[in-house]
Amino acid sequence: MNRQVRVLRAGLMTTVQDLGRPATRHWGVPVGGAMDQLSHRLANRLVGNSDTAATLEMTLTGDVLQWEQDAVIAITGASLRAVMESDNRPEKLLMPGRPWFVPAGSRIQFGTVQRGCRSYLAVSGGWDVPIVLGSRSTLQRSQLGGHCGRALRAGDILTYADAPESLTSRISASRPDTAENSNWYVQLFHPPAATGTVLRFLPGTHFPRLTNESQDVMQQSEFAVRMESDRMGYRLQGLPLRFSESLQIRSEAVIPGTLQLPPDGQLLLLMADCAPTGGYPRVGHIISADLPLAAQLKPGDRFSLCEVSLLEAQEALRLQEQQLAAAVHLARLNSGV
Amino acid sequence: MQNSPKPDNATAPPQIAFLSDSAFLVTWESESDKQVAESVRIGWQQLKQSGLQGVTGLVPGFASLAVHFDPRQACAQDLQVALRATLSTHTATFVPKPRQIRIPVNFDSSVAPDLPEVSRISGLPEQECIRLLCSAVYTVRMLGFAPGFPYLSGLPDVLAIPRKSTPRLQVAAGSVAIAGGMAGIYPRESPGGWSLVGRTTVSLFDPARLNPCLLEPGDEVIFVNTGTQQLDTRSFV
């Protein structure tokens, strides 16, 4: 049986996302998926889902959702206020970073993001939309996948698959006593503040072609995320970077995290919905472990870049995976499931 | 499907460079663009068949092949060694010949708004431009720009014209277009800066289809003029 959630009010841009479409990039299809895959995975694991289950990615402002049946949910990523109203119960503030039992008939109001940009809402069982090209993620530009290929609107009805029985019953059985009354939660990283974020990068193919001065500028100055930024990529504003001589390249592979340098000298940071190929020189790539942090930057935020080695990038990712596993382990202990 | 053994070509082994911590860019050096295209195609087939652990996607480009992997599942250094071994395998790998796909194209002036300009720039009558467009055997070098959009090499040199200085905000789905020595087909309505020389009713990309993408990298493409009564079908056997 499928379970339903009604969208009473839609957030700024809420889309269904999962781990994207890595296998169809050779057709020109962007990989897409959750921008902050670490938060997406944590949310899923907190409710007993696999990493591939779909979550809702809420951008800057959240939705108001009406729950028709019992559910177990988790919220991760950017911090935002989530208030649950249920009949005959006091309002409850839902902290991010832990599972919550949602009784049938509840309404959850997600507010405005306080810090970071994107919050993830997982439901035990996973959001159920048709699989298109191997994924449930929404690719808005191609009106493909997700809920009707677009962001949620008021009046939409979302369904989610049946939860693994053991988990739902255990978490619902544990309410409203110890598990819900304690104030525990798990967090993997602090969503970025307006300034001071450092993103680590590996030099790209064309990094050595930058002037020495530009190589220094890239690492020693701050860049701001401009308003014209979205899931495809961020336009950055900083001191202009220059190549020693003009560089013309044919379209070649790019990935989320690639730093491209167009002729105007202002960096482009490609993100989840970027095309699989691009024709601008590649001066760097944000390391995999820092992509979740990059995904939490919003227009106006400032950050700096720090060059690292491949070994450092690999070690950072290994550490992050370990922290994810530890957080999930801790959550299991605390929720007693 | 007809198979042919991998030709024992004389190209140097490819360069396998890191493209970030989750992808490699494999490149081949050759004097000949055609040879590079063939190396990319063969390399792609070899890696597709080898099913290396942790590889999540393979993306052929004009002169390169991107190998995407999940750094949580594969050790990059080990994978680089495995890629080198796989790509230098000359035995036990059979690479299918390219498919040849005919695409009917309507060259009527109502759907080919830029033919007059192509004719003016090339100095050839429009009918000759159309004949040349249909005489070439194109190769799908890569798909990009939009899902299913093929970049086709093989356009006759005399039809090499630059991109339009002002892109159109709306190009109809199925528009056959040329720019910068390449041909392409717009899978769906979108903005576009290439010169429109015809239109096809064939659907290039449909996610609901069993085979969503009509063309694969390495495929050969021939435009068939739907307005031509006497088709020379021999060349398509």
Side-chain angles (χ1 to χ4, degrees):
Chain A
M1 187 190 78
N2 262 326
R3 291 143 185 279
Q4 291 192 338
V5 170
R6 187 183 300 273
V7 180
L8 298 182
R9 196 194 69 208
L12 188 64
M13 188 182 83
T14 300
T15 54
V16 178
Q17 297 294 344
D18 59 13
L19 298 178
R21 302 181 172 82
T24 49
R25 280 183 275 214
H26 62 287
W27 290 339
V29 180
V31 60
M35 289 273 278
D36 172 357
Q37 300 212 345
L38 186 64
S39 296
H40 161 89
R41 291 166 69 208
L42 176 63
N44 269 328
R45 291 188 187 191
L46 288 174
V47 297
N49 291 345
S50 75
D51 291 354
T52 55
T55 60
L56 289 183
E57 181 180 278
M58 296 182 282
T59 316
L60 294 173
T61 62
D63 310 66
V64 180
L65 303 176
Q66 175 78 35
W67 301 74
E68 309 294 353
Q69 281 91 22
D70 289 354
V72 173
I73 65 159
I75 307 156
T76 61
S79 55
L80 85 177
R81 199 178 144 85
V83 179
M84 178 162 73
E85 302 163 38
S86 317
D87 291 339
N88 310 322
R89 291 168 200 245
E91 279 191 359
K92 183 194 280 285
L93 194 63
L94 304 183
M95 292 289 293
R98 58 174 291 177
W100 292 101
F101 178 74
V102 180
S106 301
R107 170 187 299 196
I108 304 180
Q109 295 210 31
F110 293 92
T112 302
V113 162
Q114 304 296 310
R115 198 168 153 155
C117 186
R118 296 173 170 87
S119 297
Y120 293 85
L121 172 64
V123 62
S124 190
W127 297 105
D128 192 22
V129 295
I131 293 180
V132 179
L133 301 176
S135 162
R136 292 188 171 88
S137 60
T138 313
L139 187 61
Q140 278 180 287
R141 194 180 159 83
S142 297
Q143 292 147 41
L144 181 153
H147 181 80
C148 307
R150 58 165 171 80
L152 298 187
R153 295 176 190 154
D156 283 347
I157 290 175
L158 286 169
T159 60
Y160 53 96
D162 261 345
E165 260 180 48
S166 52
L167 184 96
T168 321
S169 53
R170 280 189 222 161
I171 289 188
S172 59
S174 71
R175 81 182 155 105
D177 42 308
T178 51
E180 273 194 341
N181 290 337
S182 62
N183 282 323
W184 70 272
Y185 64 96
V186 294
Q187 187 177 37
L188 288 172
F189 65 95
H190 290 285
T195 185
T197 301
V198 178
L199 297 180
R200 292 167 288 184
F201 77 99
L202 294 165
T205 312
H206 308 106
F207 181 79
R209 310 284 290 274
L210 289 168
T211 62
N212 288 338
E213 193 198 346
S214 285
Q215 292 185 18
D216 291 344
V217 166
M218 195 165 150
Q219 298 203 62
Q220 289 163 10
S221 65
E222 267 202 323
F223 298 91
V225 178
R226 289 174 44 168
M227 284 306 293
E228 307 89 337
S229 297
D230 56 21
R231 283 181 45 94
M232 289 178 68
Y234 299 167
R235 288 181 184 278
L236 304 181
Q237 182 73 49
L239 293 172
L241 304 178
R242 301 275 172 244
F243 291 112
S244 311
E245 52 197 54
S246 85
L247 207 54
Q248 289 279 324
I249 64 161
R250 290 183 112 176
S251 246
E252 250 174 9
V254 292
I255 53 174
T258 296
L259 288 158
Q260 287 186 321
L261 187 61
D264 69 0
Q266 297 292 338
L267 289 171
L268 286 173
L269 171 53
L270 302 183
M271 296 301 288
D273 283 353
C274 70
T277 52
Y280 294 130
R282 304 175 300 272
V283 295
H285 305 274
I286 304 300
I287 66 172
S288 295
D290 283 355
L291 281 179
L293 194 55
Q296 293 296 352
L297 292 168
K298 55 176 168 281
D301 285 353
R302 306 177 74 84
F303 66 94
S304 54
L305 293 164
C306 171
E307 184 186 339
V308 293
S309 69
L310 180 63
L311 287 176
E312 287 170 291
Q314 290 173 318
E315 178 57 17
L317 189 65
R318 195 193 59 75
L319 192 66
Q320 191 171 75
E321 288 298 305
Q322 205 175 2
Q323 286 166 343
L324 174 63
V328 173
H329 182 78
L330 199 63
R332 288 222 178 94
L333 281 179
N334 282 332
S335 56
V337 298
Chain B
M1 183 174 287
Q2 202 179 355
N3 287 322
S4 64
K6 179 188 175 294
D8 188 17
N9 55 37
T11 49
Q15 203 199 334
I16 305 172
F18 279 95
L19 180 85
S20 186
D21 56 2
S22 64
F24 292 100
L25 194 64
V26 183
T27 50
W28 286 264
E29 290 285 332
S30 174
E31 297 285 304
S32 142
D33 186 54
K34 223 174 173 152
Q35 182 63 65
V36 168
E38 185 64 358
S39 295
V40 172
R41 191 181 77 86
I42 290 170
W44 181 46
Q45 296 287 345
Q46 284 178 315
L47 292 183
K48 258 207 297 197
Q49 290 170 30
S50 68
L52 290 172
Q53 167 74 27
V55 171
T56 56
L58 300 165
V59 183
F62 288 112
S64 63
L65 175 65
V67 180
H68 298 275
F69 63 95
D70 183 346
R72 297 162 192 87
Q73 286 180 33
C75 164
Q77 288 83 350
D78 292 350
L79 187 56
Q80 192 176 26
V81 173
L83 286 175
R84 192 163 286 132
T86 307
L87 291 169
S88 63
T89 305
H90 284 255
T91 53
T93 310
F94 288 88
V95 176
K97 276 186 179 169
R99 300 186 302 172
Q100 201 166 78
I101 291 167
R102 300 159 60 190
I103 295 183
V105 179
N106 179 359
F107 292 98
D108 189 84
S109 58
S110 61
V111 291
D114 295 325
L115 258 184
E117 200 190 347
V118 173
S119 164
R120 187 179 57 76
I121 295 173
S122 64
L124 298 169
E126 285 183 31
Q127 279 311 310
E128 180 59 9
C129 293
I130 294 171
R131 198 192 66 76
L132 283 171
L133 283 165
C134 294
S135 69
V137 178
Y138 302 92
T139 301
V140 179
R141 297 298 289 275
M142 64 175 220
L143 296 124
F145 170 67
F149 182 102
Y151 288 86
L152 302 169
S153 66
L155 184 74
D157 289 342
V158 286
L159 296 180
I161 60 166
R163 288 168 60 95
K164 298 181 80 69
S165 49
T166 312
R168 283 188 174 85
L169 292 175
Q170 267 189 7
V171 172
S175 291
V176 174
I178 60 175
M182 308 283 291
I185 308 168
Y186 288 87
R188 55 178 297 155
E189 189 180 289
S190 66
W194 292 27
S195 293
L196 311 184
V197 295
R199 196 179 297 174
T200 182
T201 54
V202 170
S203 162
L204 275 89
F205 188 78
D206 178 359
R209 225 163 35 194
L210 185 61
N211 294 309
C213 200
L214 177 72
L215 301 172
E216 296 272 339
D219 284 348
E220 291 178 356
V221 169
I222 294 168
F223 295 149
V224 181
N225 186 350
T226 53
T228 306
Q229 295 305 307
Q230 299 134 330
L231 281 180
D232 181 0
T233 51
R234 280 169 306 172
S235 55
F236 309 131
V237 172

